[in-house]
Structures are given as structure tokens and as C-alpha cells.
Amino acid sequence: RDAAALADAIIDAVNLGLDPGSTTILQKYQAARSRDVEMRVRGTDLFNRFVSTSSPVMKNLRRVGIKTVGSLSILRDMAMREG
């Protein structure tokens, strides 16, 4: 997604006769990517908190969740695609 968003920003700039390395174009790219990056950071933090807990309840939830994702190909594929 990063590469596609950057390519789109560069192509748009070139088509408009603008400098693809200008601050305006790079800010456009950053804005396009910021939500996805923020969601990934939050998701990673949440996952790290989830897997590092020693609570027996959370350990059981984690085990069931991992087993479920591993056994359902659509969830497994989505987890791999999203990272």
C-alpha cells in the first residue's frame, strides 16, 4: 500500500507538471498513508499487550483466537495480508 500510494502521488504530480519530490506532494502522500500507519501501530501495540499478559483468562482467549484464525482460511489469509 505504501508503494502504491507513493506511485499515485508521483504520477499525479507528473501529470500536473509538478515536482514529485515537492513538500506538497510528499505531504499528500503522508496524509494518504497516515490512517493506515496509525491503525497498524495501534493494532501492533494492542497485539503486544494481548500476548504479553499473564492473565489465565487472556491466555485462554489468546489460545482460542489463534486456533480460530489458524483453522479458518479466510481469517488466516486476512491476518497474513494485513500483517
Side-chain angles (χ1 to χ4, degrees):
R1 290 184 284 227
D2 280 332
L6 183 58
D8 288 345
I10 291 170
I11 290 167
D12 290 347
V14 169
N15 288 340
L16 294 171
L18 302 173
D19 174 11
S22 71
T23 301
T24 302
I25 299 303
L26 295 176
Q27 286 173 340
K28 178 182 174 185
Y29 161 74
Q30 181 181 11
R33 295 296 303 137
S34 66
R35 184 165 191 269
D36 189 45
V37 169
E38 183 178 331
M39 294 299 291
R40 184 168 300 258
V41 168
R42 287 182 185 210
T44 300
D45 180 59
L46 181 63
F47 181 76
N48 285 338
R49 290 173 190 253
F50 186 67
V51 299
S52 65
T53 184
S54 60
S55 163
V57 172
M58 294 305 285
K59 284 182 178 182
N60 285 333
L61 283 174
R62 182 173 58 228
R63 187 175 335 123
V64 169
I66 290 171
K67 187 174 182 177
T68 302
V69 169
S71 66
L72 298 174
S73 63
I74 191 166
L75 290 178
R76 186 177 57 245
D77 293 347
M78 184 176 74
M80 295 304 293
R81 184 177 53 252
E82 294 301 320

